[in-house]
Amino acid sequence: MGAQETQGGGADAIQALVEGRHGDPFAILGAHVIGGTRVIRAYAPGARGVDVVAREDGSPLGTLEMIHAAGLFAGPVQGSGPYRLRIHWPDAVQEMEDPYSFGLLLGELDLHLIAQGTHYRLGHCLGAQPMTVEGVPGVRFAVWAPNARRVSVVGDFCAWDGRRYPMRLRQAAGVWELFLPRLGPGTRYKFEIIGPHGDVLPQKADPVARAAEAAPGTASIVARADPHEWTDAAWMAERPHRQGLEAPISVYEVHAGSWLRFAEDGNRSLTWREMAERLVPYVQELGFTHIEFLPIMEHPFGGSWGYQPLGLFAPTGRYGPPEDFAYFVDRCHASGIGVIVDWVPAHFPTDVWGLARFDGTALYEHQDPREGFHQDWNTLIYNLGRQEVKGFILASALEWLDRYHVDALRVDAVASMLYRDYSRKAGEWVPNIYGGRENLESVEFFKHLNSIVSARQDGAITIAEESTAWPGVTRPVEDGGLGFHFKWNMGWMHDTLQYMEKDPIYRQYDHHLMSFGMVYAYSEHFVLPLSHDEVVHGKGSLINKMPGDNWQKFANLRAYFAWMWMFPGKKLLFMGCEIAQWAEWNNDASLDWNLLDHPAHKGMQTLIGDLNRLYVGEAALHATDSNPDGFRWAVVDDAQNSVYAFVRQTPDETTHLLVVSNMTPQPRRDYRIGVPKSGYWLEALNSDAGLYGGSNLGNGGGVATEAIPAHGHDQSLKLVLPPLATIVLRAP
């Protein structure tokens, strides 16, 4: 028999296959009819022999002959039905369906949408998909690598040998695909890619993997098709109301790896299921409405806190499998708590097994480092001008909202994406087509992102971490804005912290720092953040930023928290701040929970819980966050005494709350403030209460108005203002 001609398909084709240069393995491998005879070819480097048996009953159909020393077997077989390969290895016999006996897998519509950048369910299309094909269970692998000469799927199932399972190229979209029978969830895998110049690249993790090895491992893992049987239908139905502009939103920001660690168990972090048992009740007890996680997408370096992710579709394996994260979200929803995840579409790290030069070319990133390299972070920037890349990132966003029922995405580093000259000197950046600094591709991307989230995920929201004065960040797309639902108010955070860090004797000279936020408070829909960024990199903890002795430090921080919770805007507080942790946050250590044995720290925690309950329970404190009619200054010009007072009210003016802050350690008695309603005003909260660790100076539970005009009103209250305190009084 002329083996190479009648069985092997020609010497050149064989050589190209065994050298990894053949772009269409299906043209050689699998079953082919040659001269009326069915010939099967199988590539099994290192095998001693290959038999072919019937899939149905295992009856022998033929024995293949080795026609190339590299491990290519071929030979005629009987029959025309489904078959299996019985491969004789030196130390074992393996029986499996032939991957090259299956037809095309991805539909033409899938390929068209991928190329167009509008396949919003890439997690169901690319990557590793457990499925059954022709009655055979297995995994369909697919990856976008348009410039590769060859792509193989590798893993434990083939001893990570890239020769074993080269994939089929679907030319129209640059996608390679292959179905591997008898694999399932839990299988580790990567892709071996030969670049356009013939060089074998480091084996690459799957960009669309839904699970990954915990660091320092770098392999992708086949995930279950369905992560969880959800029980949160009631929450999802209520979500639009719970996350609207008029809803109370108070966020507890968490780094999952360091909220609580088990010192007795190697200082390990909690798993997702352990967090469901301990973190969820804690957040519920303190009255927060949401948990926000620093990025939990798979990332190689823990010290990046997740802000340099490589697995935009995979929850990090550090805390358990993806289905356990789904379970955690379900438990949050059962407890009335929303889940926000930080999401990073701005950049990615340069690790060779990741997205960098994925197919041997600048595929996901810009070729030009003036556009494609972040000098601050030594990371690569996504090329949003490429439709497939934009579609990849959009699909990631929708994956978290759809597959894991996440309620909101907090989009990181928005400013770095909006400006082409962000953190760059002259000559280090490329202007847009009009010669300007605005990144038009990013603008279009954000508009597309926010439009598609609103259209496809009822009640889900997006939150921008945007630190500049870019106009219309939270304005609807149809009105010319970027379409985010909320924006972090970085200016408020910086101004107020700068004020609070001053010795009270000097605060009178910077009185405007606390009030300036109202100048622009309604220009966007704001979240007031006291985030992780304020307690790292040598900035110290919040309690240590406060001036004075220990008593004054705690009093200052209590007054500041109360001011923040009463001020217009949704709330966000980083973990550990609620217990006034002295130490700067350390991502490798647990929070200092032992501090709660001390009354001052326990009092701070108690205050946060009471502030959340007051904020959630009083519509005047949340329903008008975006309505200027819900706020009025009562006292804004008393710089000498460092006193501020304002009224929060419901739109129908049926409820009024008076908020007064004395930012000096000097108690002030007989301090008169005009109010809009007469009667007995109940003292709803006093940050100086003994319960919180204060001096317990106050107004005895409430104050009746007197018919003495003040501040434009016919009646007024004569108040006692405790030292370094914020008090809240509710109108009759």
Coordinates of all heavy atoms in Angstrom, one line a residue, residues 260-293:
L260 N -11.2 38.9 56.6 CA -10.9 38.0 57.7 C -10.0 36.8 57.3 O -10.3 36.2 56.2 CB -12.2 37.4 58.3 CG -12.1 36.5 59.5 CD1 -11.5 37.1 60.7 CD2 -13.4 35.9 59.8
R261 N -9.0 36.6 58.0 CA -8.1 35.5 57.7 C -8.0 34.6 59.0 O -8.1 35.0 60.1 CB -6.7 36.0 57.3 CG -6.6 36.6 55.9 CD -5.2 37.0 55.6 NE -5.2 37.5 54.2 CZ -4.4 37.0 53.3 NH1 -3.6 35.9 53.5 NH2 -4.4 37.5 52.0
F262 N -7.7 33.3 58.7 CA -7.6 32.3 59.8 C -6.1 32.2 60.1 O -5.4 31.4 59.4 CB -8.2 31.0 59.4 CG -9.7 31.0 59.2 CD1 -10.3 30.8 58.0 CD2 -10.5 31.3 60.3 CE1 -11.7 30.8 57.9 CE2 -11.8 31.3 60.2 CZ -12.4 31.1 59.0
A263 N -5.6 32.8 61.1 CA -4.2 32.7 61.5 C -3.9 31.3 61.9 O -2.7 30.9 61.6 CB -4.0 33.7 62.7
E264 N -4.8 30.6 62.5 CA -4.5 29.2 62.9 C -4.5 28.2 61.8 O -4.1 27.1 62.0 CB -5.6 28.8 63.9 CG -7.0 28.6 63.4 CD -7.8 29.9 63.3 OE1 -7.1 31.0 63.5 OE2 -9.0 29.9 63.0
D265 N -4.8 28.7 60.6 CA -4.8 27.8 59.4 C -4.0 28.4 58.3 O -4.4 28.6 57.2 CB -6.3 27.6 58.9 CG -6.4 26.5 57.9 OD1 -5.4 25.7 57.7 OD2 -7.4 26.3 57.3
G266 N -2.7 28.8 58.7 CA -1.8 29.3 57.7 C -2.1 30.7 57.2 O -1.7 31.0 56.1
N267 N -2.9 31.4 58.0 CA -3.3 32.8 57.6 C -4.1 32.8 56.3 O -4.0 33.8 55.5 CB -2.0 33.7 57.4 CG -2.4 35.2 57.5 OD1 -3.2 35.6 58.2 ND2 -1.7 36.0 56.6
R268 N -4.8 31.8 56.1 CA -5.6 31.7 54.8 C -6.8 32.6 54.9 O -7.4 33.0 55.9 CB -6.0 30.3 54.5 CG -7.2 29.7 55.4 CD -7.7 28.4 54.9 NE -8.8 27.9 55.7 CZ -10.1 28.2 55.6 NH1 -10.5 29.1 54.8 NH2 -11.0 27.7 56.5
S269 N -7.3 33.0 53.6 CA -8.5 33.8 53.5 C -9.7 32.9 53.6 O -9.7 31.7 53.5 CB -8.5 34.5 52.1 OG -7.3 35.3 52.0
L270 N -10.9 33.6 53.8 CA -12.1 32.9 53.7 C -12.4 32.4 52.3 O -12.0 33.0 51.4 CB -13.3 33.8 54.2 CG -13.2 34.4 55.6 CD1 -14.4 35.3 55.8 CD2 -13.3 33.3 56.6
T271 N -13.2 31.3 52.2 CA -13.7 30.9 51.0 C -15.0 31.7 50.7 O -15.6 32.3 51.6 CB -14.0 29.4 50.9 OG1 -15.0 29.1 51.9 CG2 -12.8 28.6 51.3
W272 N -15.6 31.5 49.5 CA -16.8 32.2 49.2 C -17.9 31.7 50.1 O -18.8 32.5 50.6 CB -17.2 32.0 47.8 CG -16.4 32.7 46.7 CD1 -15.7 32.1 45.7 CD2 -16.2 34.1 46.6 NE1 -15.1 33.1 45.0 CE2 -15.4 34.3 45.5 CE3 -16.6 35.2 47.4 CZ2 -14.9 35.6 45.1 CZ3 -16.2 36.4 47.0 CH2 -15.4 36.6 45.9
R273 N -17.9 30.4 50.4 CA -19.0 29.9 51.3 C -18.8 30.3 52.7 O -19.8 30.6 53.4 CB -19.0 28.3 51.2 CG -19.6 27.9 49.8 CD -19.8 26.4 49.7 NE -20.5 26.0 48.5 CZ -21.8 25.9 48.3 NH1 -22.6 26.1 49.4 NH2 -22.3 25.6 47.2
E274 N -17.6 30.5 53.1 CA -17.3 31.0 54.5 C -17.7 32.5 54.6 O -18.2 32.9 55.6 CB -15.9 30.8 54.9 CG -15.5 29.3 55.2 CD -14.1 29.1 55.3 OE1 -13.3 29.9 54.7 OE2 -13.7 28.1 55.9
M275 N -17.5 33.2 53.5 CA -17.9 34.6 53.4 C -19.4 34.7 53.5 O -20.0 35.6 54.1 CB -17.4 35.3 52.2 CG -15.9 35.7 52.3 SD -15.4 36.7 50.9 CE -14.5 35.4 50.0
A276 N -20.1 33.7 52.9 CA -21.6 33.7 52.9 C -22.1 33.6 54.4 O -23.1 34.1 54.8 CB -22.1 32.6 52.0
E277 N -21.3 32.8 55.1 CA -21.7 32.6 56.5 C -21.3 33.7 57.5 O -21.9 33.8 58.5 CB -21.1 31.2 57.0 CG -21.6 30.0 56.2 CD -23.1 29.9 56.2 OE1 -23.7 30.1 57.2 OE2 -23.7 29.7 55.1
R278 N -20.2 34.4 57.1 CA -19.7 35.4 58.1 C -19.8 36.8 57.6 O -20.2 37.7 58.4 CB -18.3 35.0 58.4 CG -18.1 33.6 59.0 CD -16.7 33.3 59.4 NE -16.4 33.9 60.7 CZ -15.5 33.5 61.6 NH1 -14.8 32.4 61.3 NH2 -15.2 34.2 62.6
L279 N -19.4 37.1 56.4 CA -19.5 38.5 55.9 C -20.9 38.9 55.6 O -21.2 40.1 56.0 CB -18.7 38.5 54.6 CG -18.7 39.9 53.8 CD1 -18.1 41.0 54.7 CD2 -17.9 39.8 52.5
V280 N -21.7 38.1 55.1 CA -23.1 38.6 54.8 C -23.9 38.9 56.0 O -24.5 40.0 56.1 CB -23.8 37.5 54.0 CG1 -25.3 37.8 53.8 CG2 -23.2 37.3 52.6
P281 N -23.9 38.1 57.1 CA -24.6 38.6 58.3 C -24.0 39.8 58.9 O -24.7 40.7 59.5 CB -24.4 37.4 59.3 CG -24.2 36.2 58.4 CD -23.4 36.7 57.2
Y282 N -22.7 40.0 58.8 CA -22.0 41.2 59.4 C -22.5 42.4 58.6 O -22.9 43.4 59.3 CB -20.5 41.0 59.2 CG -19.7 42.2 59.7 CD1 -19.5 42.4 61.1 CD2 -19.2 43.2 58.9 CE1 -18.8 43.5 61.6 CE2 -18.5 44.3 59.3 CZ -18.3 44.4 60.7 OH -17.6 45.5 61.1
V283 N -22.5 42.4 57.3 CA -23.0 43.5 56.5 C -24.4 43.8 56.8 O -24.9 45.0 56.9 CB -22.7 43.3 55.0 CG1 -23.3 44.3 54.2 CG2 -21.2 43.2 54.8
Q284 N -25.2 42.8 56.9 CA -26.6 42.9 57.2 C -26.9 43.6 58.5 O -27.7 44.5 58.7 CB -27.3 41.6 57.1 CG -28.8 41.6 57.2 CD -29.5 40.2 57.1 OE1 -28.9 39.3 57.6 NE2 -30.6 40.1 56.5
E285 N -26.1 43.1 59.5 CA -26.2 43.7 60.9 C -25.9 45.2 60.9 O -26.5 45.9 61.7 CB -25.3 42.9 61.9 CG -25.4 43.4 63.3 CD -24.5 42.6 64.2 OE1 -23.8 41.7 63.7 OE2 -24.5 42.9 65.4
L286 N -24.9 45.6 60.1 CA -24.5 47.0 60.1 C -25.4 47.8 59.2 O -25.2 49.0 59.2 CB -23.0 47.1 59.7 CG -22.0 46.7 60.7 CD1 -20.6 47.1 60.2 CD2 -22.3 47.4 62.1
G287 N -26.3 47.2 58.5 CA -27.3 48.0 57.8 C -26.9 48.5 56.4 O -27.5 49.3 55.8
F288 N -25.7 48.0 55.9 CA -25.3 48.4 54.5 C -26.3 47.7 53.5 O -26.7 46.6 53.8 CB -23.9 47.9 54.3 CG -22.8 48.7 54.9 CD1 -22.3 48.3 56.1 CD2 -22.4 49.9 54.4 CE1 -21.3 49.0 56.8 CE2 -21.4 50.7 55.0 CZ -20.9 50.2 56.2
T289 N -26.5 48.4 52.4 CA -27.4 47.8 51.4 C -26.6 47.0 50.4 O -27.2 46.2 49.7 CB -28.1 49.0 50.7 OG1 -27.2 49.8 50.0 CG2 -28.9 49.8 51.7
H290 N -25.3 47.3 50.2 CA -24.5 46.6 49.2 C -23.1 46.2 49.7 O -22.6 46.9 50.6 CB -24.3 47.5 48.0 CG -25.6 47.7 47.2 ND1 -26.6 48.4 47.6 CD2 -25.9 47.3 45.9 CE1 -27.6 48.4 46.7 NE2 -27.1 47.8 45.6
I291 N -22.6 45.2 49.2 CA -21.2 44.8 49.3 C -20.5 45.1 48.0 O -21.0 44.7 46.9 CB -21.0 43.3 49.6 CG1 -21.6 43.0 51.0 CG2 -19.5 42.9 49.6 CD1 -21.6 41.5 51.3
E292 N -19.4 45.8 48.0 CA -18.6 46.0 46.8 C -17.3 45.3 46.9 O -16.5 45.6 47.9 CB -18.4 47.5 46.5 CG -17.6 47.7 45.2 CD -17.5 49.2 44.8 OE1 -18.4 49.9 45.1 OE2 -16.4 49.6 44.3
F293 N -16.9 44.5 46.0 CA -15.6 43.8 46.0 C -14.6 44.5 45.2 O -14.9 44.8 44.0 CB -15.7 42.3 45.6 CG -16.4 41.4 46.6 CD1 -17.6 40.9 46.4 CD2 -15.7 41.1 47.7 CE1 -18.2 40.0 47.3 CE2 -16.2 40.2 48.7 CZ -17.5 39.7 48.5

